[in-house]
Amino acid sequence: MRWLAQQHKAILVIRLFMVAVFVMCGSVKLAGGQFYG
């Protein structure tokens, strides 16, 4: 049971990290910082 709890925490951390990356990339794209030229 202990392994399952640690696995769920690891998955949660990975999901939060991916959400942060996607939000950052999306906000940069909406602000016009990407594909500028």
Side-chain angles (χ1 to χ4, degrees):
M1 281 299 189
R2 186 170 205 143
W3 165 248
L4 285 176
Q6 289 176 351
Q7 189 176 9
H8 285 302
K9 287 181 184 178
I11 291 172
L12 180 65
V13 168
I14 292 169
R15 282 182 178 176
L16 290 175
F17 177 73
M18 289 180 69
V19 165
V21 169
F22 284 133
V23 167
M24 202 164 50
C25 288
S27 62
V28 167
K29 188 178 283 191
L30 287 176
Q34 193 177 11
F35 304 124
Y36 183 75

